[in-house]
Amino acid sequence: AQSVTQLGSHVSVSEGALVLLRCNYSSSVPPYLFWYVQYPNQGLQLLLKYTSAATLVKGINGFEAEFKKSETSFHLTKPSAHMSDAAEYFCAVSPNYGGSQGNLIFGKGTKLSVKP
Amino acid sequence: EAGVVQSPRYKIIEKKQPVAFWCNPISGHNTLYWYLQNLGQGPELLIRYENEEAVDDSQLPKDRFSAERLKGVDSTLKIQPAELGDSAVYLCASSLETSSETQYFGPGTRLLVL
């Protein structure tokens, strides 16, 4: 079964510092991979997705992620944190074959805090 | 373009009472999903519809949970009877099709069972 592990339930950075949120997946076949952001009392918003095209994926709000098959990783980065980036971030995997194709399997999330 | 609409946004009920949540997906989106999000966790899929057909309900606790999408547009998720452990956020999402299509999420219904 596919699964997602997000290292660090809480990450704190200073404004202007690099943001690095880690995500590793478990799958025998490279799946589709997603990063979503959730602000308090709101639904999830897609940041970016990998669907077997370019391994470096650029998303909204200056975020990007790199698919590394050898490391089964899909870490999310942003060069310079902004106060408005404070939120919870979820990595998700979706099988690209079979009856579960399209179903999202989420990690437990990483809460990002940004200090002034 | 209107997003995914869910109602109510908040619901407080006593245990053993029934409760229902409603979702209206983005116009033209054939696939609809219901997710359960417990506090401090990521969402977990309950059921997926393609048009009016429930194509994956393997994670839906069928003894107390039911869902319908009669005309292939809006959907209702019901719990009867509710238990204390059902307190969570219930999220609805929709996409054009399945596969790699982006899922768009509604704001969720926050349920508290007392």
Side-chain angles (χ1 to χ4, degrees):
Chain A
Q2 299 193 342
S3 64
V4 174
T5 301
Q6 291 184 241
L7 293 176
S9 59
H10 196 170
V11 171
S12 182
V13 301
S14 298
E15 192 173 17
L18 171 71
V19 175
L20 171 60
L21 303 181
R22 299 178 187 274
C23 173
N24 287 88
Y25 68 91
S26 171
S27 175
S28 57
V29 177
Y32 298 139
L33 293 157
F34 304 78
W35 275 100
Y36 280 84
V37 61
Q38 187 176 34
Y39 297 98
N41 297 319
Q42 294 187 26
L44 282 75
Q45 180 184 8
L46 181 71
L47 280 176
L48 48 80
K49 64 180 180 182
Y50 167 78
T51 56
S52 70
T55 56
L56 182 61
V57 182
K58 294 187 183 299
I60 62 171
N61 301 340
F63 285 94
E64 63 180 37
E66 186 173 8
F67 171 71
K68 291 187 176 181
K69 182 179 177 181
S70 60
E71 298 177 8
T72 60
S73 68
F74 191 57
H75 301 332
L76 181 71
T77 61
K78 181 174 180 178
S80 177
H82 192 273
M83 296 297 290
S84 61
D85 294 327
E88 190 146 23
Y89 292 80
F90 292 93
C91 182
V93 62
S94 174
N96 58 11
Y97 64 95
S100 297
Q101 186 178 16
N103 291 352
L104 289 175
I105 300 165
F106 286 89
K108 292 186 176 182
T110 297
K111 188 171 183 179
L112 176 67
S113 299
V114 182
K115 298 174 291 186
Chain B
E1 172 181 283
V4 176
V5 178
Q6 289 188 249
S7 69
R9 290 294 313 276
Y10 304 92
K11 187 75 175 179
I12 301 175
I13 62 171
E14 294 187 347
K15 63 180 180 181
K16 301 185 181 180
Q17 294 300 306
V19 64
F21 315 124
W22 178 79
C23 172
N24 193 35
I26 293 173
S27 177
H29 281 196
N30 297 323
T31 307
L32 183 147
Y33 310 77
W34 282 103
Y35 288 88
L36 164 69
Q37 186 176 21
N38 286 305
L39 187 65
Q41 301 292 318
E44 299 172 28
L45 181 70
L46 289 172
I47 189 168
R48 181 179 101 230
Y49 282 94
E50 291 182 9
N51 298 302
E52 65 275 9
E53 182 182 359
V55 295
D56 188 346
D57 63 356
S58 57
Q59 301 304 311
L60 190 72
K62 299 181 183 62
D63 56 335
R64 297 184 299 107
F65 286 66
S66 65
E68 61 183 17
R69 194 185 185 199
L70 294 176
K71 297 183 180 179
V73 181
D74 57 342
S75 174
T76 302
L77 177 68
K78 298 178 181 178
I79 308 175
Q80 183 172 9
E83 297 179 352
L84 296 176
D86 296 330
S87 296
V89 177
Y90 292 83
L91 294 165
C92 179
S94 71
S95 64
L96 278 172
E97 301 290 346
T98 52
S99 187
S100 65
E101 289 291 340
T102 298
Q103 294 185 26
Y104 295 85
F105 284 79
T109 296
R110 186 175 297 273
L111 173 67
L112 178 60
V113 182
L114 301 177

